[in-house]
């Protein structure tokens, strides 16, 4: 099927979770849960090790952001990072850091991390690798946004931006972002399969389909309608 | 599905899992052991003493003091090995101020452990080394001092005389031995004379320089430098019932009229006399009598954050209306957020994109100023910014913030500053608490006058005059003996688990001796 303008738009809508009312609902639910979890996880700090100016630690809120982006889709990931950061800035810091540039960076981080996982099975190792790569790209884009915010919006000194902000961000985040999100996503999926999915299917079978499909939807993974 | 097939199908997941385990093992470290606890101890007569309600020190604060003690007590007076060779007089003086808040947290503990260190710090401040490095080598020679104000110890050098007097006044406040009284009084008289007489020796409103303030460097008045002698005069007035502090009232009014900028904060320096022509080339901040200019010049008077923070911290003790009036403007002018829970103070709001030594001091004095003002939200953010990059290293019973990764010897400079300001910023004692001297009757109360045994961490030592009990919390890393003075008629010693065995303590007249095996001991002596 040739990709018309219509199907491209549909693909995008589907990818960001806006293709149907149900999809929008799920995106909103994932985003709300993500924002809450992201906010809470910002308070968690695991002990790490420091060697000179380099600090290595596991950063829970990076993992939370990627996990919610992976399950909820790119838009849910964006909202988790953007709104979660704005909320944390406002409630904890009493300020919006660099006029929201930092929040936008975390939003883009979530957007990119969630991009390759739409309708993808976390049981497939290839998908987990894609998730790790996308997370890394999103994390690096966020680093660039933070640097932009610090230097251009915040007028921070270059020394401070590099030594106090970027270096800790890079060293604390690197180990976290490559390894831990795929593990947590897969474990969440296993937990869902083992513990929750059977009960969910039993419930669906008892109640029957509530909203039978009214129209067919283009499936970008197979190229069919 | 066979085991091999399961492994094959999940090889990516297992690889990530293996990496996660390795990284966790390398990165995650157990948290430091929790500090000593502070239980409620019930005495045999039924009174419940909540030890948590009494001031106490944590392990890091004591470890940092031990670091200072090891450093200083292993040096002769003229030996400055390991002490930063720049800003040395300030570092010595502010270290004493910082540790004064630590000493005050355990008022019932007054042994050589505190006293000898403070004596050595005063001796080092008064050393030839300091005079050579902070006066002669800086070019502040006698020629520049108009004769009358000549000399390192004269009124043209408030940056040394003020701090030195404050160090001696704190010693007298803590130990009331009179050891430095004569010398301290001579400096107080000098401050008083400079602020209220002209150079010809006649009573004159505004003093030597017609502003009621004292110069340093040596033609320029700085607000923060003047708060040091002013605080000392205020405190000693309360301690000795004198009236030195009336001398600075004119100066305080003058500075509020002449040294506040358009942001509502203090400017950084005011030239009160014409600078000799040979000095013009030496400073770009001079623009005639009046406010100093920014260097490098921008269209603004000189300003900086560390001076404002320092001044407001001390004004809070004796002119609190100034701190109340200026604090919000100070924060608004200098604060910048890095993350919502990380903030730093600019060295100067005219140079927001620069970061150097003055910016580091800006944050250090920001910590002490926010503590004094009770602004704990900003205090926490500054603490995150200042101390997150530096790990704490332990060496025996002492610890320090390891900043050795910084290049060009900056780490060596920063370690002493970091250690001192951490103590200052985190102890429960404020400068306005120190400004209230202990009454003479305090020195008749029971106190620990000597101890033996290495590694004795005294976390809490307060005699409660209301309940007539001594609240003591120590961590004895080795067997320790504590001798209490002014403590006749001790009836018993109680811990949360029950009475301390009578064999561990003995009474000898007004002295009581307590022997403790290694361990953490929360006890109430009654």
């Amino acid at each position: 099927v040739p990709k018309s303008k219509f199907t491209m738009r549909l693909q995008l809508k589907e990818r960001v979770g806006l293709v149907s009312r149900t999809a929008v609902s799920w995106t909103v639910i994932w985003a709300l849960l993500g924002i809450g979890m992201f906010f809470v996880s910002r308070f968690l700090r695991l002990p790490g090790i420091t060697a000179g100016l380099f600090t290595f630690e596991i950063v829970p809120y990076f993992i939370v952001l990627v996990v919610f982006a992976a399950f909820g889709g790119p838009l849910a990931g964006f909202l988790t990072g953007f709104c979660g950061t704005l909320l944390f800035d406002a409630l904890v810091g009493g300020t919006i850091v660099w006029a929201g540039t930092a929040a936008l960076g975390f939003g883009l981080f979530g957007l990119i991390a969630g991009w390759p996982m739409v309708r993808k099975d976390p049981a497939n190792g290839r998908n987990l690798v894609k998730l790790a790569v996308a997370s890394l790209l999103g994390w690096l884009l966020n680093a660039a946004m933070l640097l932009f915010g610090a230097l251009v919006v915040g007028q921070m000194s270059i020394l401070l931006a590099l030594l106090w902000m970027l270096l800790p961000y890079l060293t604390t985040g690197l180990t976290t972002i490559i390894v831990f999100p795929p593990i947590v996503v897969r474990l969440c999926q296993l937990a869902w399969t083992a513990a929750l999915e059977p009960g969910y299917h039993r419930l669906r079978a008892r109640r029957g389909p509530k909203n039978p499909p009214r129209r067919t939807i283009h499936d970008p993974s197979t190229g069919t309608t | 599905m066979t085991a091999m097939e399961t492994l094959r199908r999940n090889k990516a997941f297992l690889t990530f899992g293996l990496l996660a385990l390795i990284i966790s093992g390398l990165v995650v470290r157990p948290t430091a052991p929790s500090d000593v606890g502070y239980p409620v101890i019930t005495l045999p007569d039924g009174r419940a003493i909540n030890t948590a309600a009494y001031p106490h020190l944590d392990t890091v604060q004591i470890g940092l003091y031990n670091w200072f003690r090891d450093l200083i007590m292993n040096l002769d007076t003229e030996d400055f090995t390991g002490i930063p060779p720049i800003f040395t007089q300030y570092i010595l003086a502010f270290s004493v101020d910082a540790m004064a808040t630590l000493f005050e947290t355990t008022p019932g503990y007054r042994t050589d452990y505190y006293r000898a260190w403070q004596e050595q710090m005063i001796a080092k401040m008064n050393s030839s080394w300091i005079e050579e490095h902070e006066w002669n080598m800086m070019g502040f020679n006698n020629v520049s001092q108009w004769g009358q104000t000549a000399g390192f110890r004269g009124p043209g050098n408030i940056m040394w005389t003020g701090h030195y007097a404050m160090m001696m006044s704190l010693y007298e406040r803590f130990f009331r031995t009179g050891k430095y009284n004569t010398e301290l009084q001579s400096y107080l008289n000098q401050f008083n004379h400079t602020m209220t007489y002209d150079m010809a020796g006649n009573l004159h409103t505004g003093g030597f320089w017609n502003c009621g303030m004292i110069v340093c460097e040596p033609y320029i008045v700085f607000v923060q430098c003047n708060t040091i002698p002013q605080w000392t005069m205020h405190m000693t007035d309360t301690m000795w019932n004198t009236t030195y502090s009336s001398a600075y009232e004119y100066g305080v009014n003058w500075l509020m009229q002449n040294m506040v900028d358009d942001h509502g904060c203090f400017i950084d320096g005011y030239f009160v006399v014409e600078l000799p022509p040979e000095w013009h080339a030496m400073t770009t901040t001079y623009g005639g009598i009046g406010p100093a200019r920014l260097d490098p010049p921008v269209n603004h008077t000189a300003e900086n954050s560390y001076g404002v923070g320092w001044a407001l911290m001390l004004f809070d003790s004796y002119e609190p209306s100034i701190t109340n009036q200026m604090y919000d403007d100070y924060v608004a002018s200098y604060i910048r957020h890095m993350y919502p829970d990380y903030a730093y103070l600019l060295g100067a709001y005219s140079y927001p994109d620069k970061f150097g030594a003055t910016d580091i001091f800006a944050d250090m004095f920001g910590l002490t100023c926010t503590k004094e003002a009770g602004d704990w939200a900003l205090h926490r953010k500054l603490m995150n910014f200042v101390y997150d990059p530096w790990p704490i290293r332990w060496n025996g019973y002492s610890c320090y913030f390891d900043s050795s990764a910084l290049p060009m010897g900056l780490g060596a400079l920063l370690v002493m500053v970091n250690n001192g300001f951490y103590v200052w910023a985190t102890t429960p004692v404020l400068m306005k608490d120190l400004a209230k001297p202990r009454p003479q009757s305090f020195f008749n109360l029971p106190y620990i006058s000597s101890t033996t045994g290495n590694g004795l961490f005294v976390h809490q030592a307060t005699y409660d005059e209301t309940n007539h009990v001594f609240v003591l919390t120590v961590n004895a890393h080795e067997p320790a003996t504590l001798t209490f003075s002014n403590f006749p008629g001790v009836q018993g010693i109680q811990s949360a688990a029950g009475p301390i065995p009578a064999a561990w303590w003995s009474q000898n007249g007004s002295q009581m001796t307590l022997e403790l095996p290694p361990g953490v001991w929360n006890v109430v002596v009654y």
Side-chain angles (χ1 to χ4, degrees), chain B residues 388-412:
Chain B
D388 252 19
W390 318 120
I392 294 176
R393 309 263 187 235
W394 280 90
N395 180 17
Y397 299 125
S398 68
C399 67
Y400 63 99
F401 286 94
D402 184 2
S403 53
S404 57
L406 282 179
M408 297 181 294
L410 277 175

Side-chain angles (χ1 to χ4, degrees), chain B residues 117-157:
Chain B
W117 179 82
Q118 203 169 352
E119 287 171 357
Q120 180 68 350
M121 290 294 275
I122 292 170
K124 292 188 93 63
M125 187 71 168
N126 197 27
S127 65
S128 305
W129 192 98
I130 288 287
E131 182 170 0
E132 179 61 22
H133 283 75
E134 302 281 1
W135 184 254
N136 296 333
M137 285 169 62
M138 300 292 281
F140 301 135
N141 51 52
N142 295 345
V143 178
S144 67
Q145 301 292 309
W146 313 288
Q148 298 97 322
T149 60
F152 174 62
R153 291 170 178 77
N157 189 19

Side-chain angles (χ1 to χ4, degrees), chain A residues 45 47 89 93 155 157 183 186, chain B residues 10 17 29 340 352-353 381 388:
Chain A
R45 184 140 186 210
D89 281 11
Q155 288 186 294
S157 85
I183 292 287
R186 176 74 173 115
Chain B
N10 290 289
R29 286 283 175 271
D353 57 347
K381 294 177 187 181
D388 252 19

